[in-house]
């Protein structure tokens, strides 16, 4: 049987789960950052106070303040975490914001009226423009949380994982190591805690739907886009980064593309603007709560 996630659909819920209406909020003047994703007493987005995020200017190093940051046209690479998180977006309607750059214009529409959060995007650029986009969502999760994705999903580990592997296991000179989910190269990445002093980045290739399970709460993230590569990036920082003051942060990041850095992306690893000069996509987030227990 092919899973719903493998077919690109949001997994169906069981009869023991009830829908939890979500509400979303964003800070358009400060990079379009999502500042809240909450429902029935639970805030899903992690926050790191005292970062000076509101004073960021274009060209500044990335500030890890939490929430959900829009990363475009790259995640790693230059500019760090892309060129739109550090710039003001222009609010053009209810839930609608736009940012214009020399190479592209990005418009996003956020809605939550049905209790399911829907983010609709439109990117306009010259045909052939290549990019990576990620919804860099840092989630507030307990040490018991896990990430549910189809078993066997090809997964790219990034070089910070090399120190966790056996000597000689990392391919010399390679930007990544590919192995199947949920334990690529023997690392159980589906487990999102407890903190163990490690930090690992990975990309689940061609995986447009995942579910985060934390106690009785579930958050499903699903990405729709025609004729573009869809993946899910994972940043599992269990107090392993940075070296001069590590903290815990868990990023589950729906993405267009199959690599963190657009400069390292192969022919099939980045999104590309078609001849009509436009790419549209939709990100959907839905929450559920299982019966027989209490949220964390």
């Amino acid at each position: 049987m092919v899973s719903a996630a493998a077919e690109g659909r949001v997994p169906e819920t069981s009869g023991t789960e009830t829908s939890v209406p979500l509400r979303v909020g964003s800070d358009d003047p400060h990079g379009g950052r999502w500042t809240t994703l909450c429902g029935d007493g639970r805030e899903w987005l992690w926050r790191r106070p005292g970062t000076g995020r509101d004073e960021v200017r274009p060209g500044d190093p990335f500030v890890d303040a939490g929430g959900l940051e829009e990363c475009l046209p790259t995640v790693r690479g230059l500019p760090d975490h892309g060129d739109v998180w550090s710039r003001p977006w222009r609010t053009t309607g209810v839930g609608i914001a736009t940012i214009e750059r020399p190479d592209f214009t990005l418009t996003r529409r956020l809605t939550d009226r049905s209790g399911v959060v829907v983010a609709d995007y439109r990117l306009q650029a010259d045909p052939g423009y290549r990019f990576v986009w990620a919804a860099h969502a840092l989630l507030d999760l307990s040490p018991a949380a896990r990430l549910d994705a189809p078993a066997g999903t090809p997964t790219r580990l990034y070089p910070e994982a090399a120190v966790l592997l056996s000597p000689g296991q990392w391919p010399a000179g390679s930007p990544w190591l590919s192995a199947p989910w949920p334990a690529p190269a023997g690392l159980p990445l589906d487990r999102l805690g407890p903190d163990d002093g490690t930090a690992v980045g990975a990309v689940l290739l061609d995986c447009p739907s995942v579910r985060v399970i934390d106690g009785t709460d579930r958050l499903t993230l699903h990405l729709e886009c025609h004729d573009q590569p869809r993946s899910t990036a994972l940043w599992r920082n269990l107090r392993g980064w940075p070296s001069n003051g590590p903290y815990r942060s868990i990023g589950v990041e729906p993405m267009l593309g199959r690599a963190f850095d657009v400069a390292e992306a192969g022919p099939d690893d980045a999104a590309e603007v078609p001849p009509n000069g436009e790419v549209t996509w939709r990100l959907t987030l839905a929450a559920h709560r299982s019966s027989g227990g209490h949220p964390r």
Side-chain angles (χ1 to χ4, degrees):
M1 180 180 294
V2 178
S3 71
E7 289 182 341
R9 297 183 287 110
V10 176
E12 296 179 358
T13 61
S14 70
T16 61
E17 293 181 359
T18 57
S19 177
V20 175
L22 288 174
R23 293 293 176 261
V24 67
S26 66
D27 185 355
D28 295 343
H30 298 103
R33 174 172 167 258
W34 301 27
T35 54
T36 186
L37 180 70
C38 62
D40 197 15
R42 169 153 193 164
E43 173 59 63
W44 282 97
L45 295 180
W46 170 80
R47 299 186 184 96
R48 182 167 170 250
T51 62
R53 174 67 177 80
D54 291 354
E55 284 73 51
V56 164
R57 296 292 181 267
D60 286 352
F62 181 66
V63 174
D64 200 5
L68 186 154
E69 301 278 12
E70 303 282 358
C71 296
L72 180 80
T74 193
V75 183
R76 299 187 182 184
L78 297 173
D80 184 21
H81 286 71
D83 196 32
V84 301
W85 72 271
S86 60
R87 299 177 184 274
W89 294 38
R90 179 166 50 92
T91 302
T92 56
V94 177
I96 304 173
T98 298
I99 182 166
E100 299 174 354
R101 301 298 303 131
D103 293 337
F104 60 83
T105 297
L106 177 67
T107 300
R108 181 192 67 198
R109 181 174 184 261
L110 276 176
T111 61
D112 59 16
R113 287 190 298 271
S114 66
V116 174
V117 170
V118 177
D120 286 307
Y121 297 84
R122 183 176 72 252
L123 181 129
Q124 298 165 296
D126 290 340
Y129 180 73
R130 300 178 80 239
F131 66 95
V132 169
W133 164 85
H136 185 276
L138 292 174
L139 303 181
D140 187 6
L141 302 174
S142 78
R146 61 186 179 89
L147 180 61
D148 186 25
T153 296
T155 302
R156 287 177 175 168
L157 291 176
Y158 276 73
E160 59 269 16
V163 297
L164 306 177
L165 306 180
S166 302
Q169 192 174 358
W170 188 269
S174 177
W176 51 66
L177 182 157
S178 295
W181 184 266
L187 300 179
L189 292 189
D190 59 326
R191 303 174 190 172
L192 304 179
D195 296 350
D196 60 7
T198 66
V200 178
V203 176
L204 287 72
L205 303 184
D206 307 316
C207 180
S209 294
V210 296
R211 174 175 283 194
V212 176
I213 300 173
D214 192 9
T216 61
D217 288 334
R218 287 91 173 92
L219 180 69
T220 301
L221 304 94
H222 175 66
L223 180 60
E224 301 172 56
C225 187
H226 182 64
D227 284 344
Q228 302 290 347
R230 298 172 296 162
S231 301
T232 300
L234 171 65
W235 172 241
R236 195 188 69 171
N237 176 25
L238 304 178
R239 296 190 183 274
W241 183 92
S243 59
N244 60 341
Y247 51 86
R248 174 185 173 87
S249 58
I250 307 294
V252 178
E253 309 170 23
M255 70 187 305
L256 293 182
R258 304 168 82 242
F260 278 125
D261 188 347
V262 69
E264 294 180 345
D268 299 323
D269 290 341
E272 184 171 322
V273 176
N276 68 356
E278 181 175 286
V279 179
T280 60
W281 64 95
R282 169 172 286 184
L283 174 62
T284 303
L285 302 98
H288 293 82
R289 183 166 291 161
S290 64
S291 60
H294 300 280
R296 70 185 184 99

